Amino acid sequence: MSIALATAMVVGLPLMAAAVAFAHPRRGRMATLGTGLLLLPVLAVLVLENLRTGPWRQDLGGWAAPLGIGWQIDALALTLLVLTTVVALAAAIYRLAERRLVPESRQRRYFWPLWLFLWGGLNALFLSADLFNLYVILEMVALAAVALIAAAGGPALAAAWRYFLATLLGSTLYLLGVALLYGQYGALDIALLTGRAAEEPVTLAAAVMITLGLLLKGAIFPLHFWLPSAHGRAHAAVSAVLSAVVVTAAFYLLVRLWFGPFGGMLPGLSAQLLGLLGAAAVIWGGVLAMLQRHLKMVIAYSTVSQLGFALLVFPLAAAGALPEQAHAGMLMLLLAHGLAKGSLFLAAGCLAWQWGSDHLRRIGPPMAGGSLLAWIAIALAAASLVGLPPSGGFVAKWWLLESALAARAWPWAAVIVLGTFITAGYLWRILRDPLRAGSVDAAAVPARAQPLPIPLAMPRAALLLALAAIASGLFATALRSAFEAGGLAA
């Protein structure tokens, strides 16, 4: 398989499958599973090529920038491409099994086309190197995500509308910043802008607008107001993909731009401001997660907190002591967080089906079958989010902490440690009551003395992601080598 063909298939397969699923709704399930199974070997080819040659660029149609549109492939892009495929495939398996529990509905025929459209948009976003092309793809992803949230009906409709307005404002700010850059430098390609952009008022204004737009799209503190309701009220499979990958896409673009065209402005105030946002997100998101009474809302606010850890890469890398350690910690954090968060949302969906509610006081203790598997998945995913060895979350936070200590950046080191304790606090709330005998509020769920049976494929999908989050830490040395060999494109 040629590398050009493999790269095209990463984007083309989900979009072609979306067209098939739309034209032939009964084939949507097979199209989705087939897409995931085909993408795994295709991504393996790209990963091996990246390890052999390092980062590379592909000009579509043979047209080089600034006239043409380019794709860039490096360790960051491939990490998120692999994460997207694994989480989307596991969540699709969960959703296929879940649909056996609900009656037929006309809305079901549109679910898989939207799912595949979102999948293809995310893959295109992680490959694109052109700022305007990225704007178009961001809109594709946002529209598909809004529709998938609204598919849950009821309160999710208002949450989807709020998300739509928030992402529309974010897109407007982003596009205004892109227009300023194009007017000043006559280029939209990230690599070209990296060589041309200078520290001047126009670039600063563009950086502020683009950053604000991406902070809003990524629900990064303090612009996270839309995330909890959207993630908490969507279908569990949709919440898993939104929390694991979709919000990460906005952070991905922040990394691309602040270590690329805006890199000259990063040392100093910019890095510290981004770090302060991360520190506030870690603490504020964690505190709000502790106050929630519903399992999915705890997990949703956890996303706000965990993305704050990732933002610390900016001040740590700018400090210059161990920047490669900070980059590796950020990549490992995105991978481990995505796997763990996807697992938590799928497991929460299992428990909500079994006990009739996701209220923390109405969920019963672990029992045989699906209930036990769901709780095992939650325990393993929570261990990774907290940062217990040997999980991927532990390795990620350890690498970030090492970078902070090497730079003598004591405030950022304190945030990492404090945030870890806060994470342990709100995740312990999830596990505390159900692990105690007789903790179920019988008055609240009189008809659910025993959990309702669910297809075992649902908790198994959650358990698969949780085990992957743990395994990422066991293979930390190999992943670190792959990150270094894969490099980071401009």
Side-chain angles (χ1 to χ4, degrees), residues 81-127:
L81 286 171
V82 171
L83 175 64
T84 301
T85 297
V86 172
V87 173
L89 182 57
I93 294 171
Y94 171 95
R95 181 63 176 162
L96 287 170
E98 181 187 43
R99 287 185 140 186
R100 293 163 55 186
L101 304 174
V102 295
E104 290 288 336
S105 169
R106 287 183 58 85
Q107 292 182 353
R108 294 178 63 176
R109 66 178 297 171
Y110 302 113
F111 184 87
W112 294 120
L114 289 169
W115 184 269
L116 290 162
F117 194 64
L118 176 69
W119 195 343
L122 287 168
N123 286 353
L125 188 148
F126 296 135
L127 290 174

Side-chain angles (χ1 to χ4, degrees), residues 374-401:
W375 278 113
I376 292 174
I378 287 177
L380 292 175
S384 182
L385 279 186
V386 171
L388 297 180
S391 66
F394 165 76
V395 174
K397 291 179 181 179
W398 180 254
W399 286 348
L400 289 173
L401 185 60

